[in-house]
Amino acid sequence: QVQLVESGGGLVQAGGSLRLSCAASGGIFSINAMGWYRQAPGKQRELVATITSSGSTNYADSVKGRFTISRDNAKNTVYLQMNSLKPEDTAVYYCKRTRANGMAYWGKGTLVTVSS
């Protein structure tokens, strides 16, 4: 089955770093667009970063210069390196996979909590 499993979330102090991973299975990962989204309590889910099959990236203004999205096609994995974390980064982070037909798949999410 086509599925996504996020990992790497946890509790970190402001100014610290975390690296999230999203392992994909099924389909042909290398031709899929991937992305990270997040949802804080009581807030709308928002885009954090995306990466195309060719490696082109896009970031939300709130994370530019602090977060980096990357992919390793040999491992069928997409990463989100998060540096200089702020309390407002606290959220459940979700991995998204978009296939060639436009169908989107979502992981179950991993919680990131940033303390003051």
Side-chain angles (χ1 to χ4, degrees):
Q1 295 182 2
V2 175
Q3 58 182 354
L4 304 168
V5 180
E6 302 100 330
S7 62
L11 176 64
V12 65
Q13 293 185 53
S17 298
L18 282 175
R19 188 195 194 201
L20 306 184
S21 297
C22 173
S25 60
I28 306 175
F29 176 80
S30 62
I31 66 172
N32 299 154
M34 303 295 296
W36 286 98
Y37 293 71
R38 68 186 181 187
Q39 187 166 23
K43 304 293 185 180
Q44 297 275 336
R45 185 174 297 188
E46 64 176 357
L47 183 148
V48 176
T50 60
I51 185 166
T52 68
S53 60
S54 63
S56 179
T57 59
N58 184 62
Y59 298 91
D61 288 341
S62 59
V63 306
K64 285 182 179 178
R66 299 189 298 121
F67 291 10
T68 302
I69 188 171
S70 62
R71 65 193 298 161
D72 186 338
N73 290 338
K75 297 180 179 179
N76 289 350
T77 302
V78 63
Y79 305 95
L80 184 68
Q81 178 66 46
M82 305 185 293
N83 299 324
S84 302
L85 283 162
K86 305 174 181 179
E88 51 262 45
D89 294 319
T90 295
V92 175
Y93 284 71
Y94 298 91
C95 181
K96 181 185 179 183
R97 177 181 185 177
T98 304
R99 301 186 73 185
N101 65 359
M103 181 169 288
Y105 295 83
W106 294 88
K108 295 186 181 298
T110 185
L111 177 63
V112 172
T113 302
V114 184
S115 63
S116 300

